Amino acid sequence: MLTWNDYPTGDHRAQCPVCQRRDKSLGISVFSHEHAVAHCFRCGYIETRQPQRELTPAEREAYKRRMDALRQQHDAETAQRHAEAASEAVARWNAATPATEHPYLSRKAVKAHGLKVEGSILLIPLRDSTGKLHSLQTIFADGTKRFLFGGRVKGCYHGIGKPQGRLIVCEGYATGATIHADTRDAVAVAFNASNLLPVAQALRAKYPGAELVIAADDDWMTEGNPGMTAAKKAAQELGALLAIPDFTGLDRGPKDTDFNDVARLALTAQEVHA
């Protein structure tokens, strides 16, 4: 909930109390001390100071004009941050060296496919379907993951392998590397659940003849199972196949959610029974 008294009459920008975006995606219009409206351009959250009162036609038109202006400003600021992050990504990527090993890769038991290292930091590129580099995911030795601030993520991915008939879209790098090792199929790493559909859409447009598969993370201990929910939605909207990790017979822990976890647990089980 917003503290309306913090905002005088006029238009304002703030951090959304729901999605907590750092880019101040919440547009606020304060018409008077009695009437104000806030709308998040990212998650769609809406809050009004007087939710019971209908807007008058004049207020509705004023609200629309103010929200349009704030949205245009927000889009311009986002584009600027995207451009700055892309420039940083290109500079850091060009200065980095090809990755051959890294603690994160060792723990996940996967190989480096088109990755680089910057000292002890593993770099994973985020590219669009044309191959343009937009941002980087950085993974530290302890496994901490970060994206470049302001960098574009939506619709960007890291490709593993060359598409030849089947194309698999998944969330994380370790998951993608595991799937590629097991199937030899091309994989697109979308980095998070909300990006599965945008990436799958971009790839369907680029490779219309490919068999598209959405590999889900089974976030079984998280309310709403966001990984499974997003994967099913992407598969349904695009008519793609859906692959779900099977933990049957494995000693599954609360954080075991993806195909890399399945492979790790299966290997442990084989070693125990060897």
Side-chain angles (χ1 to χ4, degrees):
M1 297 292 291
L2 296 175
T3 305
W4 290 108
N5 291 336
D6 291 345
Y7 302 98
T9 300
D11 298 325
H12 308 276
R13 297 285 296 282
Q15 184 180 51
C16 176
V18 176
C19 65
Q20 297 293 321
R21 296 281 186 173
R22 291 186 295 173
D23 59 359
K24 295 186 177 181
S25 59
L26 188 72
I28 301 173
S29 279
V30 180
F31 298 90
S32 69
H33 68 282
E34 295 178 346
H35 179 213
V37 182
H39 176 217
C40 179
F41 304 128
R42 290 278 190 171
C43 70
Y45 170 74
I46 296 177
E47 183 178 337
T48 61
R49 187 160 189 169
Q50 285 191 322
Q52 286 78 26
R53 184 168 75 85
E54 287 289 333
L55 297 177
T56 67
E59 288 173 335
R60 189 175 295 109
E61 181 59 29
Y63 166 70
K64 181 179 182 301
R65 288 197 303 268
R66 290 182 176 185
M67 287 297 105
D68 286 344
L70 287 171
R71 185 178 294 105
Q72 290 175 7
Q73 180 186 356
H74 174 268
D75 290 346
E77 293 170 353
T78 298
Q80 179 63 28
R81 284 193 294 271
H82 282 176
E84 292 172 353
S87 294
E88 179 185 348
V90 170
R92 291 178 64 176
W93 184 256
N94 289 339
T97 57
T100 55
E101 58 183 19
H102 187 269
Y104 176 79
L105 301 176
S106 298
R107 283 195 302 274
K108 295 294 186 177
V110 295
K111 295 181 179 180
H113 298 280
L115 310 184
K116 288 189 174 184
V117 288
E118 182 183 66
S120 62
I121 302 174
L122 187 66
L123 303 181
I124 305 178
L126 280 77
R127 304 180 187 274
D128 63 21
S129 59
T130 69
K132 180 180 178 180
L133 178 63
H134 287 273
S135 188
L136 299 171
Q137 183 183 56
T138 60
I139 304 181
F140 294 81
D142 64 359
T144 301
K145 299 178 181 179
R146 295 283 187 272
F147 291 109
L148 296 188
F149 174 70
R152 174 183 161 185
V153 176
K154 185 176 181 180
C156 295
Y157 59 93
H158 174 59
I160 302 175
K162 185 177 181 180
Q164 292 180 333
R166 178 180 295 169
L167 184 53
I168 303 173
V169 183
C170 68
E171 288 191 39
Y173 176 81
T175 301
T178 298
I179 292 173
H180 177 70
D182 289 346
T183 66
R184 308 313 302 172
D185 290 323
V187 177
V189 177
F191 298 97
N192 58 55
S194 63
N195 202 32
L196 288 173
L197 179 57
V199 167
Q201 290 172 328
L203 292 173
R204 171 57 59 81
K206 184 174 182 178
Y207 303 103
E211 180 183 49
L212 198 60
V213 181
I214 310 298
D217 277 16
D218 182 11
D219 299 322
W220 64 306
M221 297 296 288
T222 302
E223 183 177 358
N225 199 332
M228 190 73 73
T229 300
K232 287 182 177 179
K233 178 182 178 181
Q236 290 171 354
E237 289 201 18
L238 294 174
L241 297 176
L242 178 68
I244 299 173
D246 184 3
F247 289 88
T248 302
L250 300 176
D251 187 17
R252 186 181 190 181
K255 295 183 179 181
D256 295 324
T257 62
D258 56 42
F259 285 93
N260 179 262
D261 294 324
V262 170
R264 175 181 54 82
L265 293 175
L267 181 60
T268 300
Q270 290 176 3
E271 293 174 346
V272 169
H273 293 93

